[in-house]
mmCIF file of all heavy atoms in Angstrom:
data_model
loop_
_atom_site.group_PDB
_atom_site.id
_atom_site.type_symbol
_atom_site.label_atom_id
_atom_site.label_comp_id
_atom_site.label_asym_id
_atom_site.label_seq_id
_atom_site.Cartn_x
_atom_site.Cartn_y
_atom_site.Cartn_z
ATOM 1 N N MET R 1 -81.382 -45.341 6.399
ATOM 2 C CA MET R 1 -81.585 -45.878 5.060
ATOM 3 C C MET R 1 -83.064 -45.790 4.706
ATOM 4 O O MET R 1 -83.838 -45.765 5.613
ATOM 5 C CB MET R 1 -81.096 -47.327 5.011
ATOM 6 C CG MET R 1 -79.609 -47.398 4.897
ATOM 7 S SD MET R 1 -79.081 -48.865 4.064
ATOM 8 C CE MET R 1 -78.974 -49.974 5.445
ATOM 9 N N SER R 2 -83.368 -45.713 3.410
ATOM 10 C CA SER R 2 -84.763 -45.632 3.058
ATOM 11 C C SER R 2 -85.136 -46.732 2.134
ATOM 12 O O SER R 2 -84.286 -47.464 1.662
ATOM 13 C CB SER R 2 -84.959 -44.267 2.374
ATOM 14 O OG SER R 2 -84.091 -44.158 1.271
ATOM 15 N N ALA R 3 -86.449 -46.746 1.774
ATOM 16 C CA ALA R 3 -86.894 -47.746 0.785
ATOM 17 C C ALA R 3 -87.180 -47.003 -0.512
ATOM 18 O O ALA R 3 -87.471 -45.824 -0.552
ATOM 19 C CB ALA R 3 -88.182 -48.401 1.323
ATOM 20 N N GLY R 43 -82.202 -49.231 1.554
ATOM 21 C CA GLY R 43 -82.230 -50.496 2.417
ATOM 22 C C GLY R 43 -83.221 -51.529 1.975
ATOM 23 O O GLY R 43 -83.196 -52.627 2.428
ATOM 24 N N ALA R 44 -84.131 -51.168 1.121
ATOM 25 C CA ALA R 44 -85.147 -52.073 0.619
ATOM 26 C C ALA R 44 -85.793 -51.499 -0.613
ATOM 27 O O ALA R 44 -85.844 -50.374 -0.866
ATOM 28 C CB ALA R 44 -86.228 -52.391 1.674
ATOM 29 N N ILE R 91 -89.556 -56.274 -2.247
ATOM 30 C CA ILE R 91 -90.888 -56.693 -1.983
ATOM 31 C C ILE R 91 -91.621 -56.498 -3.309
ATOM 32 O O ILE R 91 -91.650 -55.353 -3.935
ATOM 33 C CB ILE R 91 -91.563 -55.832 -0.860
ATOM 34 C CG1 ILE R 91 -90.764 -55.966 0.399
ATOM 35 C CG2 ILE R 91 -93.005 -56.275 -0.647
ATOM 36 C CD1 ILE R 91 -91.281 -55.094 1.499
ATOM 37 N N GLN R 183 -98.665 -50.576 1.676
ATOM 38 C CA GLN R 183 -98.373 -51.599 2.677
ATOM 39 C C GLN R 183 -96.924 -52.142 2.485
ATOM 40 O O GLN R 183 -96.194 -52.329 3.404
ATOM 41 C CB GLN R 183 -99.359 -52.791 2.519
ATOM 42 C CG GLN R 183 -100.753 -52.477 2.886
ATOM 43 C CD GLN R 183 -101.125 -52.824 4.256
ATOM 44 O OE1 GLN R 183 -100.407 -53.610 4.939
ATOM 45 N NE2 GLN R 183 -102.153 -52.130 4.757
ATOM 46 N N ALA R 184 -96.542 -52.317 1.165
ATOM 47 C CA ALA R 184 -95.213 -52.795 0.926
ATOM 48 C C ALA R 184 -94.202 -51.797 1.316
ATOM 49 O O ALA R 184 -93.129 -52.165 1.889
ATOM 50 C CB ALA R 184 -95.089 -53.113 -0.579
ATOM 51 N N LEU R 185 -94.479 -50.501 1.099
ATOM 52 C CA LEU R 185 -93.512 -49.406 1.405
ATOM 53 C C LEU R 185 -93.324 -49.407 2.941
ATOM 54 O O LEU R 185 -92.231 -49.160 3.483
ATOM 55 C CB LEU R 185 -94.024 -48.125 0.938
ATOM 56 C CG LEU R 185 -93.311 -47.617 -0.306
ATOM 57 C CD1 LEU R 185 -93.893 -46.221 -0.669
ATOM 58 C CD2 LEU R 185 -91.793 -47.466 -0.146
ATOM 59 N N ALA R 186 -94.455 -49.592 3.712
ATOM 60 C CA ALA R 186 -94.382 -49.557 5.222
ATOM 61 C C ALA R 186 -93.415 -50.655 5.656
ATOM 62 O O ALA R 186 -92.573 -50.440 6.521
ATOM 63 C CB ALA R 186 -95.771 -49.679 5.815
ATOM 64 N N THR R 187 -93.572 -51.856 5.047
ATOM 65 C CA THR R 187 -92.692 -52.973 5.393
ATOM 66 C C THR R 187 -91.289 -52.695 4.967
ATOM 67 O O THR R 187 -90.334 -53.015 5.743
ATOM 68 C CB THR R 187 -93.223 -54.284 4.828
ATOM 69 O OG1 THR R 187 -94.574 -54.495 5.381
ATOM 70 C CG2 THR R 187 -92.378 -55.470 5.130
ATOM 71 N N ALA R 188 -91.141 -52.174 3.797
ATOM 72 C CA ALA R 188 -89.763 -51.965 3.202
ATOM 73 C C ALA R 188 -89.032 -50.886 4.132
ATOM 74 O O ALA R 188 -87.861 -51.016 4.362
ATOM 75 C CB ALA R 188 -89.858 -51.391 1.792
ATOM 76 N N ALA R 189 -89.815 -49.864 4.590
ATOM 77 C CA ALA R 189 -89.198 -48.842 5.457
ATOM 78 C C ALA R 189 -88.745 -49.418 6.778
ATOM 79 O O ALA R 189 -87.678 -49.099 7.305
ATOM 80 C CB ALA R 189 -90.201 -47.674 5.677
ATOM 81 N N LYS R 190 -89.573 -50.335 7.263
ATOM 82 C CA LYS R 190 -89.225 -51.028 8.539
ATOM 83 C C LYS R 190 -87.875 -51.836 8.340
ATOM 84 O O LYS R 190 -86.980 -51.750 9.148
ATOM 85 C CB LYS R 190 -90.299 -51.910 8.964
ATOM 86 C CG LYS R 190 -90.153 -52.493 10.341
ATOM 87 C CD LYS R 190 -91.414 -53.174 10.816
ATOM 88 C CE LYS R 190 -91.373 -53.487 12.342
ATOM 89 N NZ LYS R 190 -92.552 -54.080 12.843
ATOM 90 N N ILE R 191 -87.815 -52.596 7.220
ATOM 91 C CA ILE R 191 -86.635 -53.357 6.953
ATOM 92 C C ILE R 191 -85.429 -52.482 6.828
ATOM 93 O O ILE R 191 -84.325 -52.698 7.396
ATOM 94 C CB ILE R 191 -86.819 -54.244 5.665
ATOM 95 C CG1 ILE R 191 -87.895 -55.256 5.879
ATOM 96 C CG2 ILE R 191 -85.461 -54.899 5.216
ATOM 97 C CD1 ILE R 191 -88.402 -56.015 4.590
ATOM 98 N N ALA R 192 -85.605 -51.322 6.109
ATOM 99 C CA ALA R 192 -84.506 -50.365 5.905
ATOM 100 C C ALA R 192 -84.076 -49.667 7.132
ATOM 101 O O ALA R 192 -82.997 -49.144 7.201
ATOM 102 C CB ALA R 192 -84.917 -49.376 4.829
ATOM 103 N N SER R 193 -84.913 -49.774 8.178
ATOM 104 C CA SER R 193 -84.566 -49.061 9.440
ATOM 105 C C SER R 193 -83.540 -49.914 10.306
ATOM 106 O O SER R 193 -83.024 -49.436 11.279
ATOM 107 C CB SER R 193 -85.769 -48.720 10.268
ATOM 108 O OG SER R 193 -86.258 -49.923 10.900
ATOM 109 N N TYR R 194 -83.330 -51.193 9.942
ATOM 110 C CA TYR R 194 -82.487 -52.027 10.728
ATOM 111 C C TYR R 194 -81.073 -51.955 10.202
ATOM 112 O O TYR R 194 -80.757 -51.422 9.147
ATOM 113 C CB TYR R 194 -83.023 -53.476 10.662
ATOM 114 C CG TYR R 194 -84.395 -53.561 11.355
ATOM 115 C CD1 TYR R 194 -85.438 -54.197 10.704
ATOM 116 C CD2 TYR R 194 -84.530 -53.189 12.660
ATOM 117 C CE1 TYR R 194 -86.678 -54.317 11.361
ATOM 118 C CE2 TYR R 194 -85.757 -53.309 13.263
ATOM 119 C CZ TYR R 194 -86.847 -53.909 12.658
ATOM 120 O OH TYR R 194 -88.078 -53.970 13.274
ATOM 121 N N SER R 195 -80.180 -52.713 10.877
ATOM 122 C CA SER R 195 -78.787 -52.771 10.392
ATOM 123 C C SER R 195 -78.712 -53.552 9.077
ATOM 124 O O SER R 195 -79.190 -54.622 8.920
ATOM 125 C CB SER R 195 -77.991 -53.601 11.485
ATOM 126 O OG SER R 195 -76.840 -54.149 10.875
ATOM 127 N N VAL R 199 -79.664 -57.400 8.096
ATOM 128 C CA VAL R 199 -80.657 -57.599 7.103
ATOM 129 C C VAL R 199 -80.123 -58.539 6.008
ATOM 130 O O VAL R 199 -80.779 -59.531 5.542
ATOM 131 C CB VAL R 199 -81.227 -56.308 6.465
ATOM 132 C CG1 VAL R 199 -82.060 -56.529 5.252
ATOM 133 C CG2 VAL R 199 -82.073 -55.611 7.557
ATOM 134 N N TRP R 249 -77.689 -47.458 14.132
ATOM 135 C CA TRP R 249 -76.938 -48.460 13.428
ATOM 136 C C TRP R 249 -75.743 -47.774 12.639
ATOM 137 O O TRP R 249 -75.837 -46.754 12.102
ATOM 138 C CB TRP R 249 -77.753 -49.206 12.368
ATOM 139 C CG TRP R 249 -79.003 -49.817 12.992
ATOM 140 C CD1 TRP R 249 -80.303 -49.532 12.747
ATOM 141 C CD2 TRP R 249 -78.967 -50.937 13.983
ATOM 142 N NE1 TRP R 249 -81.101 -50.361 13.585
ATOM 143 C CE2 TRP R 249 -80.299 -51.159 14.320
ATOM 144 C CE3 TRP R 249 -77.997 -51.632 14.654
ATOM 145 C CZ2 TRP R 249 -80.705 -52.177 15.242
ATOM 146 C CZ3 TRP R 249 -78.394 -52.601 15.584
ATOM 147 C CH2 TRP R 249 -79.727 -52.851 15.844
#
Side-chain angles (χ1 to χ4, degrees):
M1 283 207 271
S2 59
I91 304 178
Q183 295 265 339
L185 258 181
T187 299
K190 188 169 194 176
I191 294 168
S193 76
Y194 295 127
S195 158
V199 166
W249 305 115

